[in-house]
Amino acid sequence: MCVDTYTKRDRCTSAEYSLKNCRQIYHFYIQEHQNLGTSVTTMADGPNRGEDPKSSTRMRMDTDPNTAISEFLTMCDGYQLFQLTKFYRDRLEQAIEEGVDGISSLLTYEKNFSGQEHRKVVDLVEKGNRADSSKLLLNLVMEKGSQARRVMWESFVKMHHAVPKLDKILKEMQELGPDPFVYMNIRRGSSEIPSHLKDVQQKHNETLQVQTETLRVNTILIKEKVKIFQLVTLYTELTVISTVRDRTLVEHELLARGRNHEEWREKHLRRELEKIRTDQLFQSSFSRRKSKSGSSAAVSGVAGIGKTTMVQKIVYDWATGKIYPHFQFVFSFKFRDLNAINCRINLMNLILDLYPYFGNILGELWKNPEGLLFIFDGLDEFKDSIDFAHNRRNTEPQYMCTDPEDWCEVSDIVYSLIQHKLLPGCSVLVTSRPTALHLLEKAEISVWAEILGFVGEERKEYFNKFFEDQVVAAAVFKHVEENEILHTMCYNPSYCWILGLSLGPFFTQRDRKLQRVPKTITQLYSYYIYNILKNHGREIESPRDVLLKIGEMAFTGVSEKKIVFGNGDLIKYNLQPSQFLSGFMMELLERDESAQSVVYTFPHLTIQEFVAALAQFLIPDPGDIRKLLSEAHRKEDGRFEIFLRFVVGLSSSQSARPLEEFLGQFLHQTICGVIDWVKEKVEGETGNTESETGKKNLLNTFHYLFESQNQTLARVTVGSVEALTFSGLRLTPIDCAVLSHVIGLCDTIKHLDLHHCSIRCEGLRRLGPALHKCQVLRLGRNELGDSGVKLVSAALGNPDCKIQELGLWDNDLTDSCTDYLSTALSTNRSLTELNLGKNKLGDSGVKLLSAALRNPDCKIQKLHLDDVGLTDSCTEDLVSALSTNRSLTILDLGLNSFTDRSVPALRSLILTRRNLKRIWLRGNRFSSNGKRHLESLRESRPGLSVGV
């Protein structure tokens, strides 16, 4: 049984395999003992066997290939196992969720759990509460004796290959060396602070609490320029993982992460990636450090994902005593503020500039660096680069700062703190966008973490907190949820904020028509700017002129990858800083004032890109807009991708109309130039899909068409397109939604090839409304599953269905899908070729399919049933069905399990079906004699091709 469980690994889902592996452990223990007939519950209540636990452990471990970790566990005494379990407790809760029932069964068999305790664990599993089940199991184990913990850890060794999170924990334990308890026993409690520092600590706590207890949010829904919320009221927890998936992403990520966010979460989050709470960044099992030199943590996250707000929450929670009691003092800095320091400085003055009340007592703090946490927020905004790989920064000469009172460059201070050369023993937290994270690759980072943003119900929770009126909150969220592209954005709190501000009025003002609610990203951002203009546009003499100047500055920023602007930048574009008394300006550019300088940023990079795009329609003499767009399109680093989508989107009257109310008419010459450019791009790329690059370019132009919502333009450019090929190119659900929109505008699609595009059921659902228009539809190797075939069957059942050739090869289909398919085929009159090869239909599936084939109105001429798990049991049904079918000419039954028992029926089929031209039977289990009998039929049927 153990061997069989492993050999079936590739045919199980990850969750199924994890559970099977747990059962393997269970059966391993049962086979090890002789009393196989006793039930788990009975044995749990019976007497102990009285064997030596250490002897039993050694016997079991000798059979285990994981010798090192097994020997380590054998040497652990009861107290050490208790500490080990306690240390990894939070991570183990996540790791064992998928196999918790199997582990509970094993503990019950070993008489560590009672039958009643086991049933409580299993009941939670059956209710779908695996997280609660794993917590309960660990609670029970921690209450038991050392033998329960030993059995549990031995089970982890047995199952870790099938459970990536467990595998990661055990590998880390091995890396820590023969005595990880030295590492585990690092002082974790709160250190006593000298009495003469308690007053300044209290003052510091109170100061930080006041600074962080409120969240300032710009609002465009009401006349208030800024609305202030209590942080704990509005803050929604973000999902953070204890790893960094990709450190080379481009600057903007409007869709780059969101495009596959939900799909990725379902596939990896539960199985592979460990969640980490902010209070676990230091002195937890996630933070691996073997000495007391200090601990550094790096938290990555894309623009607007909530890094700065998370830092604010960390500081607030520390100041109110909720987290990090072992830190006596926390000092938080923003890199954008540090940019204003243009002279040498020391750490002491850096702190005193922000917290002058420390006076001359900082020297006392240096004596206990273990009690200090330094936070540096926004490494990607730092003007200087720090080279950890070569132990130098970007200025010469190289300098290592080892004394907090040494005068040096800011970059030296940051470098030396992170590398534990300055105040060794202190802890450092750095946040950054992925684009700058590579700077830290060679740094001494103990914990790498990434903010995924909102996952699952966290999105809904955000909108519930955003709107006081829960009816409005529900209406907005429902609209977002039903719109694939808008919903995709909601993993990012910044996008949720923009959506809330922009969509709110459509559900709170009676004069708004719901049919005009934004559908595209361009429309959404147009209403965002519209609301700013409506509330604040009359505060300045000429909103159009000011917006043009801001847009020109924004475009330069996009071109140069610049997101932070100073007073000099504003003056360069004839924007006076005094204009920021206007709410209009405050909404477009956020003013961030520090003691050293004033800097300005757009609320989000995508707003900067939108304003840059908008400026192109306000320029009085635009020149050759097509040339500008072509030059931007040629940039391969993606900096102009979203800018171009916005430009094309703004050429549509639907997007322009609300803005023109305040900005005047968009330049007709520019609109025509943009439309001509899009037309040229689409026409030039529709026939150029032989290469992967060509397919990507065509898909991107379809995104342009979607943003434009210009049906006339779309029909002119793609209306006559007859073939679309994206085979081999990964298509996300958003891509499928865009593709469906384009296909819907085509007159006829003779050929749609989406073979091996990883669209899965979610992508197919987006394509659903357009599938029936395609004559040749190739969907092979897309992991559609039975639910996907249900969607395809709906297209086949459409009265206007044009599908003639349907390819569903290698899609993880089972017999469950053939019922939907059979029903659809009973009414469909267009399908002539059906490829169901390399699926798991089995005899039962083909029997259901035979009912449709038996219908005299069935038009199928070519049927591919190769490698679908057929045996002799289905031959009679299949032959009977085909004997009444008059359309079939080609039949592929290769790579199944037919034997000589099926030869008579197959001979009868071939001889009676005079219109059958080809039949493939290769790869079955016919004997040599059986093959000869089938091959001999060629002589009696001239023109018949029989492949055996």
Side-chain angles (χ1 to χ4, degrees):
M1 182 174 295
C2 295
V3 174
D4 183 58
T5 302
Y6 274 104
T7 57
K8 292 181 180 179
R9 179 174 186 175
D10 292 335
R11 284 176 281 168
C12 304
T13 64
S14 58
E16 288 171 343
Y17 179 68
S18 181
L19 294 176
K20 289 187 177 183
N21 210 3
C22 289
R23 296 189 186 103
Q24 175 197 359
I25 300 168
Y26 176 49
H27 288 295
F28 170 81
Y29 271 71
I30 291 179
Q31 291 168 2
E32 188 180 328
H33 301 87
Q34 295 180 352
N35 191 2
L36 297 177
T38 311
S39 71
V40 169
T41 303
T42 304
M43 288 190 296
D45 295 332
N48 292 329
R49 291 188 299 279
E51 60 179 292
D52 179 15
K54 290 189 176 180
S55 171
S56 174
T57 300
R58 289 192 183 94
M59 176 185 68
R60 286 190 282 266
M61 292 302 104
D62 286 343
T63 65
D64 193 279
N66 305 284
T67 308
I69 193 68
S70 299
E71 290 180 353
F72 162 70
L73 291 173
T74 304
M75 291 186 294
C76 292
D77 60 28
Y79 176 74
Q80 289 173 323
L81 278 178
F82 175 83
Q83 291 293 332
L84 195 67
T85 309
K86 182 179 178 182
F87 185 66
Y88 285 104
R89 170 66 185 267
D90 290 327
R91 296 175 66 183
L92 290 174
E93 282 184 7
Q94 299 180 53
I96 67 174
E97 282 186 17
E98 290 305 301
V100 63
D101 43 355
I103 299 171
S104 180
S105 296
L106 176 57
L107 287 162
T108 307
Y109 176 79
E110 287 285 352
K111 302 180 177 63
N112 300 119
F113 280 7
S114 68
Q116 184 178 9
E117 289 169 330
H118 173 64
R119 281 192 294 273
K120 287 182 179 179
V121 173
V122 174
D123 284 347
L124 287 172
V125 173
E126 291 175 349
K127 292 176 182 177
N129 298 330
R130 287 192 171 272
D132 292 338
S133 181
S134 67
K135 289 179 183 178
L136 174 60
L137 183 140
L138 286 168
N139 284 338
L140 292 171
V141 168
M142 292 299 279
E143 293 170 0
K144 305 289 181 179
S146 61
Q147 180 61 18
R149 290 184 281 277
R150 190 172 301 280
V151 170
M152 181 182 71
W153 276 96
E154 289 171 2
S155 71
F156 294 164
V157 176
K158 295 289 182 183
M159 68 190 290
H160 76 95
H161 289 301
V163 185
K165 293 181 185 180
L166 272 180
D167 189 52
K168 182 178 180 181
I169 292 172
L170 294 183
K171 284 180 178 177
E172 286 180 10
M173 290 170 60
Q174 288 178 300
E175 291 173 6
L176 291 172
D179 191 10
F181 299 106
V182 173
Y183 160 71
M184 287 167 49
N185 289 331
I186 289 176
R187 177 163 50 89
R188 301 164 61 89
S190 173
S191 58
E192 184 65 26
I193 188 170
S195 57
H196 63 284
L197 293 180
K198 287 185 178 178
D199 288 343
V200 73
Q201 186 190 54
Q202 182 177 349
K203 170 68 174 176
H204 190 51
N205 286 1
E206 291 171 354
T207 300
L208 293 183
Q209 185 173 340
V210 170
Q211 289 177 351
T212 58
E213 65 186 354
T214 57
L215 193 62
R216 296 170 61 86
V217 180
N218 290 342
T219 174
I220 56 176
L221 300 181
I222 54 179
K223 292 297 180 180
E224 295 177 79
K225 295 178 176 62
V226 176
K227 192 166 185 178
I228 299 176
F229 299 89
Q230 290 297 119
L231 176 66
V232 294
T233 301
L234 195 62
Y235 188 80
T236 303
E237 289 296 333
L238 297 159
T239 294
V240 184
I241 55 175
S242 65
T243 188
V244 176
R245 295 171 295 159
D246 188 352
R247 304 175 192 173
T248 58
L249 295 176
V250 295
E251 176 67 36
H252 72 76
E253 302 223 23
L254 176 62
L255 299 177
R257 286 290 173 89
R259 294 170 75 168
N260 63 347
H261 186 72
E262 285 301 301
E263 172 192 323
W264 176 90
R265 177 188 61 82
E266 292 180 5
K267 183 177 181 180
H268 297 290
L269 187 56
R270 186 172 63 180
R271 174 167 164 76
E272 297 177 16
L273 296 179
E274 296 180 281
K275 294 182 182 179
I276 180 172
R277 302 191 307 270
T278 53
D279 64 322
Q280 296 174 319
L281 293 172
F282 302 99
Q283 293 198 348
S284 71
S285 61
F286 290 102
S287 178
R288 298 184 295 156
R289 59 187 176 113
K290 300 180 183 180
S291 69
K292 294 188 178 181
S293 63
S295 180
S296 295
V299 178
S300 170
V302 299
I305 202 69
K307 299 183 293 297
T308 298
T309 307
M310 184 194 75
V311 165
Q312 181 178 339
K313 185 65 160 52
I314 287 174
V315 174
Y316 176 80
D317 285 346
W318 176 82
T320 54
K322 295 178 181 177
I323 63 173
Y324 300 151
H326 49 286
F327 293 132
Q328 295 175 352
F329 295 94
V330 172
F331 301 106
S332 182
F333 305 91
K334 293 181 180 180
F335 276 107
R336 64 168 60 179
D337 292 337
L338 298 179
N339 286 340
I341 301 175
N342 297 314
C343 59
R344 297 170 78 85
I345 193 171
N346 59 30
L347 179 60
M348 181 178 71
N349 282 289
L350 206 59
I351 292 174
L352 290 176
D353 284 346
L354 286 179
Y355 314 107
Y357 46 80
F358 277 94
N360 59 358
I361 65 170
L362 282 174
E364 291 292 318
L365 272 59
W366 311 148
K367 296 177 182 178
N368 181 32
E370 289 82 5
L372 304 179
L373 169 62
F374 294 92
I375 301 175
F376 294 96
D377 182 32
L379 177 62
D380 50 283
E381 297 179 8
F382 195 30
K383 66 179 181 181
D384 296 331
S385 64
I386 310 174
D387 193 341
F388 289 90
H390 300 96
N391 293 337
R392 68 172 185 270
R393 51 185 174 76
N394 65 322
T395 56
E396 298 294 343
Q398 174 182 333
Y399 185 76
M400 181 76 69
C401 180
T402 58
D403 190 313
E405 297 185 18
D406 279 356
W407 293 83
C408 54
E409 301 292 337
V410 173
S411 54
D412 289 322
I413 296 174
V414 176
Y415 166 81
S416 300
L417 283 171
I418 293 174
Q419 294 297 79
H420 317 304
K421 305 302 181 184
L422 175 60
L423 296 177
C426 74
S427 296
V428 182
L429 170 62
V430 182
T431 71
S432 174
R433 292 188 187 182
T435 46
L437 208 61
H438 66 280
L439 298 173
L440 296 171
E441 284 183 344
K442 300 296 183 180
E444 294 184 12
I445 302 297
S446 307
V447 172
W448 292 97
E450 178 184 353
I451 303 175
L452 289 187
F454 294 148
V455 177
E457 289 297 304
E458 293 165 356
R459 307 176 184 209
K460 186 176 182 180
E461 181 185 345
Y462 180 93
F463 284 103
N464 288 340
K465 290 183 176 182
F466 186 95
F467 295 101
E468 294 179 3
D469 187 337
Q470 293 303 291
V471 174
V472 175
V476 171
F477 183 72
K478 183 175 184 293
H479 174 75
V480 169
E481 198 173 29
E482 290 176 349
N483 187 302
E484 166 65 14
I485 293 180
L486 298 184
H487 184 250
T488 298
M489 296 168 63
C490 286
Y491 77 95
N492 190 314
S494 184
Y495 303 148
C496 289
W497 171 71
I498 293 172
L499 286 169
L501 292 176
S502 303
L503 293 175
F506 287 94
F507 298 93
T508 56
Q509 298 178 13
R510 294 181 180 179
D511 59 334
R512 291 290 178 91
K513 296 181 180 179
L514 291 183
Q515 61 265 30
R516 293 179 57 196
V517 175
K519 293 181 179 180
T520 70
I521 301 171
T522 308
Q523 290 176 11
L524 176 75
Y525 277 63
S526 291
Y527 280 105
Y528 170 77
I529 301 297
Y530 167 85
N531 278 302
I532 294 176
L533 293 167
K534 181 180 179 182
N535 288 327
H536 305 293
R538 295 179 181 84
E539 297 175 8
I540 57 177
E541 187 174 331
S542 176
R544 183 182 180 111
D545 290 343
V546 175
L547 201 49
L548 172 58
K549 295 171 185 176
I550 296 176
E552 289 175 335
M553 185 177 75
F555 179 77
T556 300
V558 173
S559 303
E560 300 174 357
K561 293 188 174 181
K562 182 177 181 178
I563 61 173
V564 181
F565 305 89
N567 281 334
D569 294 301
L570 267 65
I571 294 171
K572 178 181 177 181
Y573 289 94
N574 295 317
L575 291 164
Q576 299 303 318
S578 60
Q579 288 178 310
F580 274 85
L581 296 173
S582 161
F584 173 74
M585 290 287 288
M586 290 178 64
E587 295 297 344
L588 286 177
L589 280 174
E590 293 181 342
R591 189 175 192 267
D592 194 348
E593 185 173 5
S594 67
Q596 291 79 21
S597 68
V598 178
V599 296
Y600 307 92
T601 57
F602 289 88
H604 191 265
L605 178 60
T606 52
I607 294 178
Q608 179 178 333
E609 291 168 315
F610 181 83
V611 174
L614 178 57
Q616 308 309 311
F617 295 87
L618 306 179
I619 299 174
D621 184 13
D624 190 351
I625 185 68
R626 294 170 64 177
K627 181 181 179 182
L628 182 144
L629 298 179
S630 295
E631 290 175 353
H633 190 266
R634 280 195 291 270
K635 292 287 185 181
E636 296 181 355
D637 59 6
R639 74 181 70 180
F640 286 111
E641 181 180 340
I642 305 304
F643 164 80
L644 288 171
R645 292 190 188 182
F646 281 142
V647 170
V648 177
L650 285 167
S651 69
S652 165
S653 59
Q654 293 171 269
S655 299
R657 188 181 299 113
L659 296 174
E660 288 179 332
E661 180 180 334
F662 296 97
L663 300 178
Q665 291 292 310
F666 284 6
L667 204 64
H668 183 69
Q669 176 186 344
T670 302
I671 294 173
C672 293
V674 172
I675 292 174
D676 288 343
W677 180 80
V678 176
K679 185 173 182 291
E680 177 186 309
K681 295 302 298 180
V682 177
E683 291 175 345
E685 290 167 0
T686 48
N688 183 26
T689 54
E690 294 181 1
S691 67
E692 182 177 353
T693 301
K695 294 171 184 175
K696 287 181 178 178
N697 288 338
L698 178 60
L699 183 61
N700 208 31
T701 58
F702 283 175
H703 277 276
Y704 296 155
L705 284 177
F706 181 81
E707 284 300 314
S708 76
Q709 292 290 296
N710 187 331
Q711 295 195 11
T712 302
L713 172 63
R715 287 199 172 94
V716 169
T717 54
V718 300
S720 60
V721 172
E722 296 184 346
L724 292 173
T725 301
F726 293 101
S727 58
L729 183 67
R730 185 182 178 281
L731 299 180
T732 67
I734 292 178
D735 294 329
C736 292
V738 170
L739 189 56
S740 177
H741 172 78
V742 171
I743 293 173
L745 298 172
C746 295
D747 297 327
T748 301
I749 289 290
K750 291 184 177 179
H751 190 105
L752 178 61
D753 188 352
L754 301 181
H755 176 77
H756 195 25
C757 289
S758 301
I759 61 176
R760 299 191 175 93
C761 186
E762 188 64 24
L764 192 65
R765 185 174 289 110
R766 302 298 184 270
L767 283 165
L771 293 177
H772 71 280
K773 295 186 67 173
C774 309
Q775 294 181 6
V776 176
L777 180 57
R778 294 184 176 171
L779 297 171
R781 294 191 68 185
N782 275 302
E783 303 174 51
L784 299 181
D786 296 333
S787 54
V789 172
K790 186 176 182 180
L791 296 169
V792 175
S793 298
L796 290 172
N798 189 310
D800 297 323
C801 180
K802 303 290 191 300
I803 302 175
Q804 298 174 11
E805 179 183 331
L806 175 61
L808 294 171
W809 182 79
D810 192 12
N811 264 305
D812 300 324
L813 310 183
T814 71
D815 58 346
S816 299
C817 78
T818 52
D819 196 11
Y820 305 125
L821 205 53
S822 181
T823 301
L825 292 178
S826 65
T827 58
N828 181 277
R829 297 295 175 264
S830 64
L831 192 66
T832 59
E833 180 173 351
L834 177 61
N835 189 338
L836 294 170
K838 204 174 181 180
N839 286 296
K840 304 171 185 177
L841 304 182
D843 295 335
S844 56
V846 171
K847 286 179 181 179
L848 287 170
L849 196 61
S850 297
L853 297 174
R854 194 174 282 112
N855 190 320
D857 294 324
C858 179
K859 305 297 183 183
I860 292 181
Q861 300 172 12
K862 301 176 183 179
L863 179 62
H864 301 267
L865 294 174
D866 52 305
D867 195 14
V868 295
L870 304 184
T871 71
D872 297 327
S873 299
C874 77
T875 311
E876 294 296 334
D877 286 285
L878 186 60
V879 170
S880 174
L882 295 178
S883 64
T884 60
N885 183 290
R886 293 291 174 260
S887 60
L888 194 71
T889 59
I890 296 175
L891 178 63
D892 186 354
L893 296 174
L895 298 173
N896 285 295
S897 299
F898 295 121
T899 68
D900 289 357
R901 289 176 51 197
S902 295
V903 170
L906 292 171
R907 281 178 56 87
S908 174
L909 172 68
I910 294 170
L911 291 172
T912 57
R913 287 296 312 279
R914 308 304 298 179
N915 58 337
L916 192 64
K917 297 178 181 178
R918 298 177 187 172
I919 182 168
W920 283 283
L921 296 165
R922 293 187 180 92
N924 281 286
R925 299 178 181 178
F926 300 122
S927 66
S928 298
N929 189 43
K931 290 181 180 179
R932 283 195 297 271
H933 276 295
L934 292 170
E935 289 172 344
S936 66
L937 297 176
R938 297 171 184 158
E939 300 174 2
S940 58
R941 285 281 311 279
L944 175 67
S945 175
V946 180
V948 183

